[in-house]
Amino acid sequence: MKILYYNHTGQVSGAERVLLMILSRLDRNRFEPVVACPTEGKLIGMVSELGIRTIGLEQLEARFTWRVGKLFRYLASFARVISNARSLIIDEQPEVIHANSIRAGLVMSAASFGLATPVIWHAHDILPRHPLSIAIRFFACASGRNSILAVSQAAAGRFRGNLIRWFSRRVPIRVIHNAVDLERFQPNSESRREIRHALGLTEENKVIGIVGHLTPAKGQLELIEAFAAISREIPDAALLVIGESLFNRGDDYLKSLRRAASLSAGTDRVRFLGARDDVPALMRGLDLLVVNSHTEAFALTVLEGLATGTAILATAVDGTLEMIRHGENGWLVPARDQQTLAEAMLLLLGDQNLREQLGGNGRRDAIAHFSIERFATEIHSFYRGLLESGTTPHESARQLEVKLSAD
């Protein structure tokens, strides 16, 4: 059976990493995956390395905005991409389309209008409170071919809103939590010593880290400003900012982060490491992983911190509440509250036993609830349920089985 996967951007962030996880565990004897995405960025090459056929599509320019000029430009981009995607669907004739974002779902549902192909909208984000979100919900309800795969109850609830709650049978929503590679992300004391040595840090240093692409929604700026209080109380503390700018004037935001670092604690105390391939080792080297997001559907960074056994301090937002239990496997603070954030960092850095307790419980929770095996099984069940519903246009469900190997 052929599934056409569509990703609206060629950059690799959390949603794309989930897509790559799905693709890497697909049984090619039963499943023929084809991936359409822009040729700009790293994604198309990473998919090709999996031995999966790729097709280039124009980059979709579309953001939530109140600016009329930009809105018209984004609508024009949608129109061009939809036209090209429709030709692609007609040529490829997939049994199912898996659109790897809400924007991708809009494109593929419009592009497949009248073709009877079921479309999965993979909701990796919290739908913003915006008039366009209402239009998106109406569009999702417009066709019985659409189904929503959400990464968290929080993402599902926001997408559902008041409208889709009345059309739950027409637009079914399934929640499947993301997963983490428990072998790649695991505690390792030798790796911890090595990465600290490579960074010029010792066991005496209290090391805080934040991981993710650089954007205001991730809260790096507020963390750097709060770190000023930490550096006064703990002279050997260091803050590692791990990640690069990908979207939305990210270079300007990076400049603002560097300015804040120089003013609050000094550039020797706040280190910008950029994008790294050794994130598991870096997480092991931390005393405290901070996830300071303003909103978060279901952050892979939280899962990776849990699996690594690193103590996590996170904002109590959205899908994070489905992973972190305050005082048990992590520590929660309100979003956008620098004083409480600073107080929590001082508390946790000053209590090694508490950090070890949180980290140990986090590792156990990752093993119990967020393994790739669990993820593969649930994805398998979701695909099978879609096929058995009878909506697949080309073959009956009894003749097909979607199989994901959990190896």
Side-chain angles (χ1 to χ4, degrees), residues 54-264:
T54 60
I55 301 171
L57 280 181
E58 177 184 343
Q59 178 93 17
L60 176 66
E61 293 185 55
R63 312 293 300 181
F64 284 90
T65 182
W66 294 98
R67 298 181 180 181
V68 176
K70 285 190 174 183
L71 182 60
F72 278 110
R73 191 176 83 232
Y74 294 160
L75 289 173
S77 177
F78 262 112
R80 292 192 303 271
V81 175
I82 287 169
S83 176
N84 293 333
R86 184 172 181 83
S87 298
L88 172 62
I89 294 167
I90 292 172
D91 289 342
E92 294 291 333
Q93 297 187 6
E95 277 80 8
V96 175
I97 297 170
H98 187 138
N100 197 43
S101 66
I102 293 173
R103 277 168 281 185
L106 290 168
V107 167
M108 283 299 173
S109 291
S112 60
F113 180 77
L115 300 180
T117 309
V119 180
I120 300 165
W121 297 30
H122 204 155
H124 295 273
D125 298 309
I126 300 295
L127 197 62
R129 300 187 188 281
H130 191 284
L132 287 177
S133 296
I134 299 173
I136 289 170
R137 295 185 184 104
F138 271 110
F139 193 85
C141 292
S143 173
R145 298 179 296 112
N146 298 328
S147 57
I148 312 302
L149 173 59
V151 298
S152 64
Q153 295 294 341
R158 181 65 70 83
F159 190 94
R160 187 178 289 114
N162 293 322
L163 176 64
I164 294 182
R165 189 172 287 113
W166 294 98
F167 297 93
S168 58
R169 290 188 178 181
R170 183 171 178 82
V171 187
I173 300 180
R174 170 78 180 272
V175 173
I176 299 180
H177 286 150
N178 293 332
V180 61
D181 187 334
L182 294 168
E183 294 299 319
R184 186 165 179 250
F185 290 89
Q186 62 175 308
N188 185 313
S189 56
E190 181 61 28
S191 173
R192 173 185 171 88
R193 286 190 293 270
E194 290 175 355
I195 194 65
R196 284 197 168 218
H197 178 74
L199 293 171
L201 300 168
T202 70
E203 280 301 319
E204 301 304 315
N205 291 109
K206 294 294 187 289
V207 185
I208 302 168
I210 185 168
V211 181
H213 66 266
L214 305 182
T215 178
K218 296 294 184 183
Q220 290 100 344
L221 180 59
E222 293 93 332
L223 174 59
I224 290 172
E225 292 172 348
F227 182 72
I230 309 304
S231 63
R232 289 192 296 268
E233 295 289 333
I234 307 176
D236 61 353
L239 173 60
L240 307 181
V241 180
I242 304 161
E244 63 182 339
S245 57
L246 293 178
F247 311 110
N248 289 349
R249 301 188 300 275
D251 291 339
D252 292 339
Y253 185 61
L254 176 57
K255 291 177 183 177
S256 71
L257 296 181
R258 292 188 183 279
R259 283 195 299 269
S262 65
L263 292 173
S264 64

